[in-house]
Amino acid sequence: GGFLPHFYEGFGGKKLVLLLDEFDALRDYSGDAAVEHFFPYLQSIIYRQEKLFIIPVGRRLDGMQNLLSLFKGAPHQEIGLLDERSAERLITKPAEGVLEYSPDAIGAILELSSGHPYFTQLLCHALFARAREQQTPTVTRIDVEAIVDKAIESGEAGLVWFRDGLPIPERVIFSAAATFQELVKDDAFQSGFTIAEVWTLLEEYGVQTKPLRGAE
């Protein structure tokens, strides 16, 4: 009770904003304790402290609904993929004056990341390391294609985090698509594969695909 008044006084009465990243991960470690105890505790503090604000960030919609049920009327914003212009700025601006991305390289990155900020940065990090090793000032599509495996390897933890945040039906689709990708590498499917072939593969393994159709 005494910390916040001292904080406001020491910082000239400025407002305090707490960013709670991955707040929904609490449920992985404490079950419903976050919903039953921690979220209500935050609610009681916010209602008592007019200069205190929180910005919770999470992946799972069920956790968001629990929070919104306590903070009725609080604004919320779904964060999606970057549009093409924003994604291009994310690729080029950090390396401006040091590394140049050709248009075909930018196109290749966007094809792989679909504008997802984390995956875009993951690819660019691997490309920067490759350019430094080879002493090349320009990134091309060939460079992008060359670092895909390296980027996946270095971003394994983030990729696991991303997968674990998906609903189970979407995880199944991802696993089936990954299996087909291995078949493509082995030349079993010369021209790639379609979603219809993914359903066929799942059915061959005995998976009931009807409940999964909305995950495609």
Side-chain angles (χ1 to χ4, degrees):
F3 169 75
L4 289 176
H6 285 300
F7 173 86
Y8 299 140
E9 182 179 349
F11 284 84
K14 293 182 179 180
K15 297 175 181 179
L16 177 63
V17 179
L18 300 179
L19 176 62
L20 306 179
D21 194 14
E22 298 185 41
F23 75 92
D24 51 334
L26 289 170
R27 298 189 63 182
D28 295 336
Y29 300 97
S30 56
D32 293 330
V35 176
E36 296 175 359
H37 302 290
F38 183 59
F39 290 174
Y41 173 69
L42 286 178
Q43 180 192 43
S44 67
I45 294 177
I46 294 297
Y47 285 164
R48 292 198 310 267
Q49 301 290 334
E50 295 182 357
K51 295 182 179 180
L52 178 64
F53 300 85
I54 65 169
I55 302 177
V57 181
R59 295 173 293 163
R60 299 175 183 173
L61 293 179
D62 57 347
M64 180 63 72
Q65 292 302 322
N66 288 327
L67 197 66
L68 290 175
S69 67
L70 289 173
F71 298 92
K72 292 181 173 61
H76 59 281
Q77 177 67 48
E78 180 179 351
I79 301 175
L81 302 175
L82 298 173
D83 58 43
E84 184 173 343
R85 183 170 181 271
S86 298
E88 183 174 342
R89 286 175 59 85
L90 178 60
I91 295 169
T92 59
K93 284 297 180 181
E96 194 171 33
V98 178
L99 195 61
E100 181 180 352
Y101 287 84
S102 66
D104 64 331
I106 294 174
I109 294 171
L110 296 182
E111 288 169 11
L112 290 167
S113 70
S114 297
H116 192 290
Y118 172 76
F119 298 134
T120 301
Q121 289 182 311
L122 182 63
L123 292 168
C124 290
H125 177 77
L127 287 166
F128 187 86
R130 174 181 170 86
R132 184 174 55 188
E133 290 174 0
Q134 298 194 352
Q135 297 294 308
T136 54
T138 302
V139 177
T140 67
R141 175 177 285 270
I142 294 176
D143 295 313
V144 176
E145 294 171 350
I147 56 84
V148 172
D149 289 344
K150 184 66 176 179
I152 292 174
E153 180 181 343
S154 64
E156 181 179 358
L159 291 167
V160 170
W161 174 89
F162 178 81
R163 178 188 178 277
D164 289 347
L166 294 174
I168 290 178
E170 293 185 12
R171 296 190 203 180
V172 174
I173 299 300
F174 264 83
S175 296
T179 298
F180 257 108
Q181 191 65 39
E182 290 302 315
L183 293 175
V184 170
K185 288 182 180 179
D186 293 337
D187 294 331
F189 292 83
Q190 295 288 344
S191 59
F193 57 91
T194 66
I195 186 63
E197 290 170 325
V198 171
W199 296 131
T200 300
L201 176 67
L202 289 171
E203 290 167 357
E204 288 177 354
Y205 278 96
V207 176
Q208 296 294 322
T209 60
K210 187 175 180 180
L212 305 176
R213 295 288 172 165
E216 61 182 274

